[in-house]
Amino acid sequence: MASVPPDSRTTRWLRRRPDGPPPHEEPVRRPRFDRPPPAGNDWYGAPPQTGGPPPQQPPARTWPQEAPGRAFPPALPASPGPPARPEGGRRDRRLRGGRPRRRLVGRVVRMLAAVAVVQALVVLSLRWVDPPTTAFMLANPEGAVQESVPVEHVSRNFLAAVIAHEDAELPYRSGAFDWDALWSRAQAHLAGEEDPSGSTIPQQMAKNLFLNQELSAWRKAVEAGLAVELAAFVDDRRMLELYVNYAQFGPTIYGVCAAGWYYFDSPPSELSPAQAVQLVGLLPSPGHVRRAPGGGMDFEVDDGMGWLSRSHVVNAQNRVPRHLDRLGFTPVEDAGVEGLASDQEPSGDDCSTPPQEVTDLIAAEGTA
C-alpha cells in the first residue's frame, strides 16, 4: 500500500511549537511629524561604512519653531487645479461669451417688459385721469396754457366741428384707424407724396401725449402702436374729451377752455358755429396766430407764417359747415356725449370763468 504524504493543512495543529518566549524584536522607530525632531536628528542611523572617504553630509536642516496661534507643521501648498483648456475651445467660448450674452438678453427682455407694463398702465389710467401735461406741451419752449373741462360742458357746435374736420369715422370705427387707409398713408409718405387722409383722433392723441413732431417712419410706426392701445383702453367719449382738452390752438394755447377765452372771451359751452369752425381750422397749424385786439384771430405774426394758419382756417370755413348742416349733432351723440352743454348743471370745473393764465397773457399782449 502506497504511502501518501500528509497534507500540511490538516497536520498544522500537530506541529510542535518552539519552547520559550518568542524572540524579542526591536520596535521599529518611525519618524514623527507632529512635532520638531530632537536635536541632533538621531532618528536615522548612520549610513553603512564603505570603502573610500566618508560621504559629505548635507548641512542640518533647521526646522521652524512652533509659534503660538500657528499650526505645525505648516500647511502644504494647494495642489494645482486641472490644466486650463486651450483658448477657443467650445466650452471656453460658452463660458466666456454665451452666459454673459444670455444674461444681457434676459435683462433687456425684462426691461422692455417692465416698460410695456408701465406704459399700458399709463394708457389705462387715461380713462379716468387728466394728465397734468403732454409731450407736446413739455417740448414747447414758450410754455403752455391749459385747463381741462368735462366734455359735457363743451359746445356741441365745437364737438361736431372737431369730428367733421379731424375724424368723421370716430364714432363708427372699431379701432384706432382703418388699416387700408394707414397703408395708403405709409406708401404716400415713403414716396414723398402728400398725405391722402391725415391722422385719426386716436393717432393724434398718441402723438400729442407721448411723442413729438418728427416726421419719420419710425415715429409713425410707434404712433400707430400707441393709437391701437389707446383705442382699446379708452372709449370714444373719453377720447373726444382728451382731444379737445389737449389739442393746440395757438403758440402757447392748449385745450378748448383756454382757446375759447383767449380768442373770443367765451366759455367753451357757448361757442357759436362760426367760432367753432375757426378754432378747428387752427388745428393743422396752430403756431402762427395770435389774439386780435378786442378778440378774434390775427394772422399778422412776427415769423411771417400767418398765411399758413389762415389758409387752414379758410379751408375749414369752406368745408365744415356743410357737414354740420347735414349731420347736426348726431356724430356727437353717437360718440357718447348726450344732451346740450346748456343743459348741464354748473360745476367747479366747467370753465365758466377765464383761467388766470389766459387773463395774464391777454394783459401782457395788450389785446384786451
Side-chain angles (χ1 to χ4, degrees):
M1 179 175 177
S3 63
V4 179
D7 191 352
S8 62
R9 291 175 298 179
T10 60
T11 59
R12 185 178 303 168
W13 64 279
L14 297 174
R15 297 176 186 175
R16 183 175 181 180
R17 297 181 180 178
D19 296 333
H24 175 72
E25 295 181 0
E26 187 71 21
V28 179
R29 297 184 63 188
R30 300 181 181 275
R32 298 185 62 175
F33 295 96
D34 57 346
R35 59 189 178 187
N41 195 11
D42 57 353
W43 285 3
Y44 305 97
Q49 295 294 332
T50 56
Q56 295 292 332
Q57 296 291 336
R61 181 176 179 180
T62 303
W63 287 74
Q65 298 297 321
E66 184 175 0
R70 187 176 65 179
F72 189 88
L76 297 176
S79 59
R85 292 180 176 270
E87 292 291 334
R90 183 169 58 182
R91 180 178 176 85
D92 185 65
R93 287 196 303 269
R94 185 172 70 248
L95 293 177
R96 288 187 291 107
R99 292 179 182 174
R101 189 179 298 112
R102 287 197 297 270
R103 287 195 296 267
L104 177 60
V105 171
R107 290 174 182 173
V108 171
V109 170
R110 288 192 295 271
M111 182 182 67
L112 293 178
V115 170
V117 170
V118 172
Q119 188 266 336
L121 292 176
V122 170
V123 173
L124 181 61
S125 69
L126 294 176
R127 297 181 62 175
W128 310 281
V129 180
D130 292 330
T133 187
T134 66
F136 266 40
M137 294 166 63
L138 290 174
N140 192 336
E142 300 180 9
V145 178
Q146 186 271 342
E147 184 173 311
S148 296
V149 57
V151 71
E152 286 77 16
H153 292 280
V154 178
S155 168
R156 303 304 184 262
N157 295 317
F158 180 75
L159 296 179
V162 166
I163 294 176
H165 189 266
E166 295 298 313
D167 190 0
E169 297 299 320
L170 174 67
Y172 315 108
R173 182 183 57 246
S174 177
F177 44 77
D178 181 79
W179 287 99
D180 294 335
L182 181 66
W183 178 245
S184 300
R185 294 185 63 206
Q187 290 180 320
H189 176 76
L190 295 176
E193 302 173 356
E194 186 177 354
D195 193 337
S197 59
S199 299
T200 64
I201 285 180
Q203 288 177 285
Q204 294 184 54
M205 279 308 305
K207 176 184 65 176
N208 293 348
L209 289 171
F210 303 110
L211 302 175
N212 53 37
Q213 298 182 358
E214 178 187 0
L215 297 177
S216 65
W218 169 251
R219 200 224 69 183
K220 288 290 185 181
V222 175
E223 174 190 298
L226 291 173
V228 170
E229 189 175 9
L230 195 61
F233 290 150
V234 179
D235 58 28
D236 293 337
R237 178 206 161 274
R238 178 60 174 166
M239 187 78 69
L240 186 61
E241 183 175 66
L242 288 171
Y243 184 77
V244 300
N245 277 306
Y246 292 95
Q248 186 176 5
F249 294 95
T252 60
I253 302 299
Y254 293 84
V256 64
C257 175
W261 284 108
Y262 177 73
Y263 291 111
F264 305 117
D265 298 319
S266 171
S269 60
E270 299 178 6
L271 291 172
S272 67
Q275 293 170 341
V277 170
Q278 290 183 70
L279 286 178
V280 298
L282 291 177
L283 291 172
S285 180
H288 312 289
V289 62
R290 62 186 177 186
R291 174 187 165 96
M297 298 181 182
D298 182 10
F299 300 100
E300 298 296 329
V301 291
D302 296 337
D303 61 6
M305 296 291 293
W307 61 269
L308 180 60
S309 296
R310 181 182 179 85
S311 65
H312 287 294
V313 171
V314 171
N315 182 50
Q317 291 173 331
N318 293 333
R319 294 175 49 248
V320 175
R322 297 197 306 269
H323 294 275
L324 298 182
D325 294 339
R326 180 169 57 90
L327 299 175
F329 299 153
T330 301
V332 180
E333 296 173 354
D334 293 340
V337 184
E338 299 179 354
L340 300 176
S342 58
D343 299 335
Q344 307 300 317
E345 294 291 334
S347 63
D349 57 354
D350 58 5
C351 194
S352 57
T353 58
Q356 186 61 43
E357 290 180 298
V358 174
T359 303
D360 295 341
L361 180 60
I362 294 175
E365 293 177 348
T367 56

